Amino acid sequence: MRLVIARCQVDYVGRLTAHLPMALRLLLVKRDGSVSIHADDRAYKPLNWMSPPCWLTEEPGVWTVRNKADESLVITIDEVLHDSSHELGVDPGLVKDGVEAHLQELLAAHPETFGEGHTLVRREYMTAVGPVDLLLRDGNGAHVAVEVKRRGEIDGVEQLTRYLELMNRDPLLAPVHGVFAAQQIKPQARTLAVDRGIRCVTVDYDALRGTARDDLLLF
């Protein structure tokens, strides 16, 4: 991971345009190719970013980041205060809490939750950037990647987006559709998911547990 603290301005050109005036900011470049621009607030949320696959070109005083849709993030650098790179190694991934892990287990047992004809291919389908919670097939035989969260937020949508970008490059899987499943999905996360063609499913955990228990009754 590369960390750069610089006085810079940022211009995004794509489906929309956005401008950040000259100020001191943190530029974060990750191994997966993503580039994000942060201020000293907003918790984890960047001011602007480019998700992979994207390509960074560095010239004196200017970084240009482009993606496959030919959108660009142009970072004009006035002064660099810090520039360092750090090897973080392979991340073990997020350890889900008991409710989230059980929710994934229940949904794997009841793939029809996502629509008639859906069947489970496998849980924890591994990709180069981490495991997809559930890999299903829909009634037409197309693959469906499901990310399961107890609370659906923007970072979960970003996570599923990365999985889908990689999986749709695999001719044995493509086309792969995305489903973001959670007990509660924040409006901002839902808006981003819909914009990226990802279906949102709100899951009733208690009802699903009741369904699972009924299936085990003999009488």
Side-chain angles (χ1 to χ4, degrees):
M1 180 182 294
R2 184 179 176 190
L3 306 173
V4 178
I5 298 175
R7 190 173 305 280
C8 61
Q9 74 174 33
V10 183
D11 292 281
Y12 176 84
V13 180
R15 287 171 293 176
L16 302 171
T17 59
H19 173 74
L20 295 172
M22 191 70 70
L24 196 60
R25 299 188 177 94
L26 168 65
L27 311 179
L28 188 62
V29 183
K30 293 186 179 181
R31 176 183 284 183
D32 64 5
S34 64
V35 178
S36 55
I37 298 96
H38 298 261
D40 196 13
D41 62 1
R42 298 175 181 235
Y44 64 87
K45 187 177 180 181
L47 298 168
N48 214 326
W49 68 93
M50 188 73 80
S51 300
C54 60
W55 300 270
L56 169 62
T57 301
E58 293 185 52
E59 297 178 349
V62 180
W63 289 12
T64 303
V65 190
R66 288 190 173 86
N67 63 14
K68 60 183 179 181
D70 203 30
E71 298 169 317
S72 61
L73 196 63
V74 179
I75 304 168
T76 304
I77 298 175
D78 180 63
E79 179 185 10
V80 175
L81 280 71
H82 175 86
D83 188 345
S84 66
S85 296
H86 307 271
E87 179 59 55
L88 302 186
V90 178
D91 190 89
L94 178 68
V95 178
K96 297 178 181 293
D97 66 26
V99 171
E100 192 169 307
H102 192 215
L103 183 60
Q104 182 190 129
E105 181 182 340
L106 291 171
L107 289 171
H110 298 278
E112 68 278 2
T113 301
F114 301 106
E116 185 178 353
H118 282 61
T119 57
L120 178 69
V121 176
R122 67 170 297 170
R123 292 177 61 189
E124 301 290 339
Y125 180 86
M126 186 57 65
T127 75
V129 293
V132 176
D133 289 335
L134 302 175
L135 180 62
L136 311 176
R137 282 189 185 274
D138 65 17
N140 298 316
H143 285 101
V144 179
V146 182
E147 183 62 27
V148 180
K149 299 291 185 188
R150 186 159 60 94
R151 218 175 129 95
E153 302 189 16
I154 283 177
D155 57 345
V157 178
E158 294 285 6
Q159 184 180 355
L160 180 54
T161 299
R162 293 193 293 271
Y163 295 151
L164 290 170
E165 286 174 345
L166 284 173
M167 295 171 77
N168 274 302
R169 295 183 209 168
D170 186 341
L172 298 178
L173 294 175
V176 183
H177 307 293
V179 173
F180 190 50
Q183 290 178 268
Q184 178 187 7
I185 300 176
K186 286 195 170 183
Q188 300 93 329
R190 187 180 294 274
T191 298
L192 181 61
V194 170
D195 181 67
R196 295 183 176 181
I198 294 170
R199 183 160 61 99
C200 292
V201 173
T202 303
V203 180
D204 187 329
Y205 177 61
D206 292 329
L208 198 58
R209 282 195 302 170
T211 299
R213 283 198 302 270
D214 289 342
D215 287 348
L216 298 176
L217 296 177
L218 295 176
F219 302 101

